[in-house]
Amino acid sequence: MIREKNIQVEAIKIGTVIDHIPAHFGFKILSLFCLSNTEKRITIGLNLPSQVLERKDLIKIENFFLTQDQINNLAIYAPYSTINCINDYEVIAKISPLLPEYVNKILICTNSNCISNSELINSCFRIKNYSGEIFLKCRYCENEFPYNILISNQINLFSSL
Ligand code: CTP
Ligand code: ZN
């Protein structure tokens, strides 16, 4: 008889587990934190079954803890993710990232005429919350983009690079 096991990926002794990442964003987050080319031991789970999301990605990084800036950036791509800090195999803290006021560098403006796409300028968006509806306003072309649309376009923009 084959018994189903609950453990989807091996437990870690010390480090960080980023859980509940929306499916397909795991790789993006690894490259965002420049983790794809480190010596750290990383386990990544893609398209795992989840009770909260339909499918989720999960990243475990041993001997590594996120900085506050990295937590803010994570909020952009995975606002409902959970950052678990692990010590001696125990979860010692669970952090829910919060959307910051400004998002610098990491997003590309989807307005092809925007100066931030043609010059060596770092992109900058201000997060606007209209009664729970999140928009990102580009500092340069001043367009406001619905959060979900801009974020899903990032995945397409990155895969075409
Ligand atoms: N985890 C791990 N190594 C450990 C402890 C936990 O890799 N030594 C992972 C678990 O596999 C899980 C995440 O860290 O993916 C959070 O652990 P835990 O809080 O125990 O799990 P849940 O209660 O399922 O978390 P949540 O309620 O946030 O979904
Ligand atoms: Zn713009």
PDB file of all heavy atoms in Angstrom, residues 6-19:
ATOM      1  N   ASN A   6       2.668  14.141   3.852  1.00  0.00           N
ATOM      2  CA  ASN A   6       2.308  15.558   3.842  1.00  0.00           C
ATOM      3  C   ASN A   6       3.483  16.451   3.489  1.00  0.00           C
ATOM      4  O   ASN A   6       3.316  17.519   2.935  1.00  0.00           O
ATOM      5  CB  ASN A   6       1.776  15.984   5.211  1.00  0.00           C
ATOM      6  CG  ASN A   6       0.321  15.600   5.335  1.00  0.00           C
ATOM      7  OD1 ASN A   6      -0.372  15.534   4.322  1.00  0.00           O
ATOM      8  ND2 ASN A   6      -0.119  15.335   6.538  1.00  0.00           N
ATOM      9  N   ILE A   7       4.704  16.007   3.857  1.00  0.00           N
ATOM     10  CA  ILE A   7       5.875  16.845   3.629  1.00  0.00           C
ATOM     11  C   ILE A   7       6.142  16.921   2.129  1.00  0.00           C
ATOM     12  O   ILE A   7       6.373  15.909   1.478  1.00  0.00           O
ATOM     13  CB  ILE A   7       7.104  16.287   4.367  1.00  0.00           C
ATOM     14  CG1 ILE A   7       6.806  16.254   5.863  1.00  0.00           C
ATOM     15  CG2 ILE A   7       8.341  17.114   4.073  1.00  0.00           C
ATOM     16  CD1 ILE A   7       7.800  15.471   6.678  1.00  0.00           C
ATOM     17  N   GLN A   8       6.079  18.169   1.572  1.00  0.00           N
ATOM     18  CA  GLN A   8       6.253  18.312   0.130  1.00  0.00           C
ATOM     19  C   GLN A   8       7.709  18.540  -0.229  1.00  0.00           C
ATOM     20  O   GLN A   8       8.169  18.134  -1.262  1.00  0.00           O
ATOM     21  CB  GLN A   8       5.398  19.463  -0.386  1.00  0.00           C
ATOM     22  CG  GLN A   8       3.941  19.298  -0.007  1.00  0.00           C
ATOM     23  CD  GLN A   8       3.070  20.281  -0.738  1.00  0.00           C
ATOM     24  OE1 GLN A   8       2.793  20.100  -1.902  1.00  0.00           O
ATOM     25  NE2 GLN A   8       2.629  21.319  -0.078  1.00  0.00           N
ATOM     26  N   VAL A   9       8.437  19.246   0.658  1.00  0.00           N
ATOM     27  CA  VAL A   9       9.860  19.489   0.437  1.00  0.00           C
ATOM     28  C   VAL A   9      10.523  19.381   1.814  1.00  0.00           C
ATOM     29  O   VAL A   9       9.944  19.781   2.817  1.00  0.00           O
ATOM     30  CB  VAL A   9      10.110  20.902  -0.154  1.00  0.00           C
ATOM     31  CG1 VAL A   9      11.518  21.019  -0.692  1.00  0.00           C
ATOM     32  CG2 VAL A   9       9.119  21.270  -1.247  1.00  0.00           C
ATOM     33  N   GLU A  10      11.734  18.857   1.850  1.00  0.00           N
ATOM     34  CA  GLU A  10      12.421  18.592   3.125  1.00  0.00           C
ATOM     35  C   GLU A  10      12.527  19.827   4.040  1.00  0.00           C
ATOM     36  O   GLU A  10      12.735  20.943   3.554  1.00  0.00           O
ATOM     37  CB  GLU A  10      13.835  18.116   2.761  1.00  0.00           C
ATOM     38  CG  GLU A  10      14.546  17.400   3.869  1.00  0.00           C
ATOM     39  CD  GLU A  10      15.951  17.023   3.418  1.00  0.00           C
ATOM     40  OE1 GLU A  10      16.113  16.709   2.233  1.00  0.00           O
ATOM     41  OE2 GLU A  10      16.864  17.076   4.246  1.00  0.00           O
ATOM     42  N   ALA A  11      12.399  19.626   5.360  1.00  0.00           N
ATOM     43  CA  ALA A  11      12.514  20.722   6.330  1.00  0.00           C
ATOM     44  C   ALA A  11      13.951  21.249   6.370  1.00  0.00           C
ATOM     45  O   ALA A  11      14.895  20.529   6.061  1.00  0.00           O
ATOM     46  CB  ALA A  11      12.117  20.227   7.717  1.00  0.00           C
ATOM     47  N   ILE A  12      14.101  22.511   6.761  1.00  0.00           N
ATOM     48  CA  ILE A  12      15.451  23.082   6.864  1.00  0.00           C
ATOM     49  C   ILE A  12      15.796  23.379   8.324  1.00  0.00           C
ATOM     50  O   ILE A  12      14.899  23.542   9.156  1.00  0.00           O
ATOM     51  CB  ILE A  12      15.641  24.339   5.976  1.00  0.00           C
ATOM     52  CG1 ILE A  12      14.715  25.487   6.382  1.00  0.00           C
ATOM     53  CG2 ILE A  12      15.473  23.998   4.520  1.00  0.00           C
ATOM     54  CD1 ILE A  12      15.055  26.808   5.680  1.00  0.00           C
ATOM     55  N   LYS A  13      17.096  23.486   8.614  1.00  0.00           N
ATOM     56  CA  LYS A  13      17.527  23.696  10.001  1.00  0.00           C
ATOM     57  C   LYS A  13      17.523  25.181  10.360  1.00  0.00           C
ATOM     58  O   LYS A  13      17.035  25.590  11.402  1.00  0.00           O
ATOM     59  CB  LYS A  13      18.930  23.119  10.196  1.00  0.00           C
ATOM     60  CG  LYS A  13      19.378  23.216  11.637  1.00  0.00           C
ATOM     61  CD  LYS A  13      20.687  22.524  11.898  1.00  0.00           C
ATOM     62  CE  LYS A  13      20.996  22.615  13.382  1.00  0.00           C
ATOM     63  NZ  LYS A  13      22.361  22.274  13.696  1.00  0.00           N
ATOM     64  N   ILE A  14      18.089  25.993   9.472  1.00  0.00           N
ATOM     65  CA  ILE A  14      18.144  27.442   9.741  1.00  0.00           C
ATOM     66  C   ILE A  14      18.024  28.178   8.407  1.00  0.00           C
ATOM     67  O   ILE A  14      18.615  27.759   7.411  1.00  0.00           O
ATOM     68  CB  ILE A  14      19.441  27.807  10.515  1.00  0.00           C
ATOM     69  CG1 ILE A  14      19.527  29.319  10.768  1.00  0.00           C
ATOM     70  CG2 ILE A  14      20.693  27.353   9.807  1.00  0.00           C
ATOM     71  CD1 ILE A  14      20.548  29.691  11.816  1.00  0.00           C
ATOM     72  N   GLY A  15      17.219  29.237   8.400  1.00  0.00           N
ATOM     73  CA  GLY A  15      17.063  30.001   7.159  1.00  0.00           C
ATOM     74  C   GLY A  15      15.644  30.507   6.987  1.00  0.00           C
ATOM     75  O   GLY A  15      14.937  30.764   7.964  1.00  0.00           O
ATOM     76  N   THR A  16      15.246  30.655   5.723  1.00  0.00           N
ATOM     77  CA  THR A  16      13.969  31.297   5.394  1.00  0.00           C
ATOM     78  C   THR A  16      13.143  30.425   4.455  1.00  0.00           C
ATOM     79  O   THR A  16      13.688  29.863   3.508  1.00  0.00           O
ATOM     80  CB  THR A  16      14.257  32.653   4.687  1.00  0.00           C
ATOM     81  OG1 THR A  16      15.033  33.459   5.568  1.00  0.00           O
ATOM     82  CG2 THR A  16      12.980  33.390   4.329  1.00  0.00           C
ATOM     83  N   VAL A  17      11.859  30.351   4.747  1.00  0.00           N
ATOM     84  CA  VAL A  17      10.937  29.675   3.831  1.00  0.00           C
ATOM     85  C   VAL A  17       9.912  30.708   3.374  1.00  0.00           C
ATOM     86  O   VAL A  17       9.196  31.277   4.198  1.00  0.00           O
ATOM     87  CB  VAL A  17      10.208  28.489   4.511  1.00  0.00           C
ATOM     88  CG1 VAL A  17       9.188  27.864   3.557  1.00  0.00           C
ATOM     89  CG2 VAL A  17      11.201  27.444   4.992  1.00  0.00           C
ATOM     90  N   ILE A  18       9.905  30.985   2.084  1.00  0.00           N
ATOM     91  CA  ILE A  18       8.885  31.903   1.543  1.00  0.00           C
ATOM     92  C   ILE A  18       7.773  31.024   0.982  1.00  0.00           C
ATOM     93  O   ILE A  18       7.965  30.290   0.018  1.00  0.00           O
ATOM     94  CB  ILE A  18       9.454  32.829   0.451  1.00  0.00           C
ATOM     95  CG1 ILE A  18      10.744  33.512   0.938  1.00  0.00           C
ATOM     96  CG2 ILE A  18       8.425  33.880   0.056  1.00  0.00           C
ATOM     97  CD1 ILE A  18      11.482  34.291  -0.153  1.00  0.00           C
ATOM     98  N   ASP A  19       6.641  31.096   1.644  1.00  0.00           N
ATOM     99  CA  ASP A  19       5.529  30.187   1.336  1.00  0.00           C
ATOM    100  C   ASP A  19       4.385  30.985   0.715  1.00  0.00           C
ATOM    101  O   ASP A  19       4.343  32.215   0.826  1.00  0.00           O
ATOM    102  CB  ASP A  19       5.079  29.539   2.661  1.00  0.00           C
ATOM    103  CG  ASP A  19       4.268  28.274   2.447  1.00  0.00           C
ATOM    104  OD1 ASP A  19       4.016  27.898   1.286  1.00  0.00           O
ATOM    105  OD2 ASP A  19       3.886  27.652   3.460  1.00  0.00           O
TER     106      ASP A  19
END
